[in-house]
Amino acid sequence: MIYLNKESKSTGKFKILSVVLVAMLIVLSACQPTVQPPLYQPQSTLPEMARGLVYGKKLYLTSIGQALDIETLASSMNTLQDISYTMDNLLNASEVEEGAVVFITVGCSFKALTESGLTKESEGERAQQFIDRADRGEITLVSWHIGGIARRGATSDSLVEMLFTQSDLALFTEAGNRDLFLSDWAIAGGVPYCQFTTSISDVLQYMTESN
């Protein structure tokens, strides 16, 4: 009888331990973050309107936010023989010839803004001048976001929202659009866009082709 009592106590402890382990697994499972699938797959094909967009036209390149992304874009542009452009980080809309195309890289660098004596507000005002001219059909405005997550955040995002909803074309990489922020604003503004997966040079080549 003593032996049976010991076995009964041991079995009871095992059952209690099993219940505790199961409860812990349930709690741990409940604490795991729920991974939400993307609501949609961003457009990854360049719009037809982008084909030959800069062919035979005067092209300008500037930055809104003064990040070094403008240098990245310029470097890719320099690999193509059929493209020439005027680059000016502080370009004003009034300096752009009518009928020209303006490439704007969007992304803020606080260091560069400070060194240039600029603010997010002054850059927003300069961006609005380009938007106004584009609205009047005087220029074609193409906004780029190629700096990835490093060029996201409250300051950069407010400028992205402004330009991506009011440009003629929005181009960006997946690295900065994992939360669909970039594509959401382009869609909200009815702006043709592309989350391109090819190189920047390939995108530029498409835009310089003759129609």
Side-chain angles (χ1 to χ4, degrees):
M1 291 296 292
I2 294 174
Y3 175 78
L4 291 176
N5 283 339
K6 285 185 177 180
E7 181 180 42
S8 176
K9 290 179 180 179
S10 177
T11 302
K13 290 180 179 179
F14 177 77
K15 288 181 178 180
I16 292 172
L17 180 60
S18 297
V19 171
V20 171
L21 288 173
V22 171
M24 289 176 64
L25 288 172
I26 293 174
V27 171
L28 288 173
S29 297
C31 292
Q32 292 298 316
T34 301
V35 178
Q36 296 292 342
L39 298 178
Y40 63 89
Q41 185 62 39
Q43 171 68 35
S44 59
T45 303
L46 284 163
E48 182 60 30
M49 59 81 65
R51 184 187 294 275
L53 185 66
V54 302
Y55 179 76
K57 295 182 180 179
K58 181 77 173 180
L59 177 62
Y60 296 82
L61 172 58
T62 193
S63 168
I64 293 295
Q66 303 305 307
L68 288 176
D69 305 331
I70 188 173
E71 301 288 347
T72 301
L73 183 56
S75 178
S76 294
M77 293 169 72
N78 291 339
T79 64
L80 303 179
Q81 296 181 348
D82 299 331
I83 187 170
S84 59
Y85 61 93
T86 298
M87 176 176 166
D88 183 352
N89 285 33
L90 303 178
L91 181 72
N92 288 313
S94 59
E95 301 174 89
V96 176
E97 293 181 12
E98 188 164 347
V101 178
V102 179
F103 284 176
I104 290 181
T105 57
V106 192
C108 286
S109 165
F110 287 112
K111 180 176 183 292
L113 283 172
T114 301
E115 290 177 350
S116 302
L118 303 172
T119 64
K120 181 190 76 172
E121 289 72 25
S122 65
E123 285 291 80
E125 291 172 2
R126 191 163 64 91
Q128 187 61 54
Q129 293 173 4
F130 287 104
I131 291 169
D132 291 342
R133 289 204 64 187
D135 285 344
R136 295 193 295 267
E138 297 173 359
I139 62 173
T140 300
L141 189 59
V142 180
S143 293
W144 298 72
H145 189 283
I146 55 177
I149 195 65
R151 296 295 173 245
R152 290 289 311 279
T155 302
S156 291
D157 285 356
S158 63
L159 295 173
V160 168
E161 177 184 342
M162 172 186 287
L163 284 161
F164 270 41
T165 55
Q166 300 180 84
S167 294
D168 295 295
L169 177 65
L171 301 171
F172 50 89
T173 62
E174 180 185 5
N177 191 47
R178 299 193 187 281
D179 57 355
L180 303 179
F181 180 86
L182 305 177
S183 50
D184 277 351
W185 281 117
I187 292 170
V191 173
Y193 76 91
C194 178
Q195 177 178 291
F196 59 89
T197 56
T198 59
S199 67
I200 295 175
S201 295
D202 287 340
V203 174
L204 292 169
Q205 188 68 58
Y206 184 84
M207 299 174 74
T208 58
E209 293 177 356
S210 59
N211 293 319

